[in-house]
Amino acid sequence: GVNKKNSRWYKEVGLGYKTPASAINGTYIDKKCPFTGNVSIRGRILAGTVSSAKMTNTIIVRREYLHYIPKYQRYEKRHKNIAAHLSPAFVGVQKGDKVIVGQCRPLSKTVRFNVIKHQKQQQKGSKQFQQF
């Protein structure tokens, strides 16, 4: 769609994910942004926790899972790190936040995913249910 008052081009990434207001009304230019740039989200949609947000427009998403060991009939914790492009539309993404990333074309040597949803980390006061 096109915003009428300042004629900024943006699009819906699909699958029911809303385009942030900061992408529609913002002034940033990012060719790798899934809302205002030239990338399409297709393939896998993954959820994870931000483990590093030190790079420019890129974050590291940590995905933890359990791997079954048949001999001992028990599980062990494992994790994978995913480098994902972070559009300037998402402001204030910090370590520990939950994000949903969608697969896209390769954006760099290691980046093949794009953040499409961001959820702030819950406060430490009340104990929420953790993944493990």
Side-chain angles (χ1 to χ4, degrees):
V2 171
N3 197 341
K4 284 286 179 277
K5 36 180 213 290
N6 52 9
S7 67
R8 179 175 168 87
W9 182 88
Y10 65 94
K11 68 175 182 192
E12 303 250 336
V13 296
L15 299 160
Y17 291 101
K18 293 267 183 288
T19 305
S22 53
I24 299 169
N25 304 321
T27 56
Y28 68 88
I29 296 169
D30 182 14
K31 64 178 184 179
K32 297 177 181 178
C33 173
F35 309 107
T36 63
N38 182 29
V39 284
S40 59
I41 301 295
R42 79 284 188 283
R44 303 235 174 251
I45 303 283
L46 305 172
T49 314
V50 178
S51 70
S52 168
K54 295 177 181 175
M55 290 180 275
T56 309
N57 292 347
T58 311
I59 59 172
I60 301 293
V61 179
R62 182 182 170 106
R63 302 190 67 233
E64 297 185 336
Y65 58 96
L66 296 174
H67 177 249
Y68 183 65
I69 310 293
K71 179 180 176 182
Y72 301 111
Q73 297 180 9
R74 280 167 174 76
Y75 292 91
E76 67 181 9
K77 281 189 196 174
R78 290 190 175 184
H79 80 275
K80 287 272 191 288
N81 285 341
I82 301 171
H85 183 265
L86 182 69
S87 165
F90 299 103
V91 183
V93 176
Q94 294 172 317
K95 185 176 176 184
D97 290 357
K98 298 267 186 285
V99 291
I100 294 177
V101 295
Q103 192 179 0
C104 56
R105 63 177 169 80
L107 301 176
S108 72
K109 179 182 170 185
T110 56
V111 177
R112 275 109 180 87
F113 285 86
N114 224 316
V115 176
I116 53 178
K117 192 167 182 214
H118 169 232
Q119 189 179 10
K120 282 260 186 275
Q121 189 183 19
Q122 301 292 315
Q123 269 70 40
K124 287 278 191 283
S126 58
K127 284 278 194 189
Q128 263 90 14
F129 173 72
Q130 246 57 61
Q131 204 165 6
F132 301 118

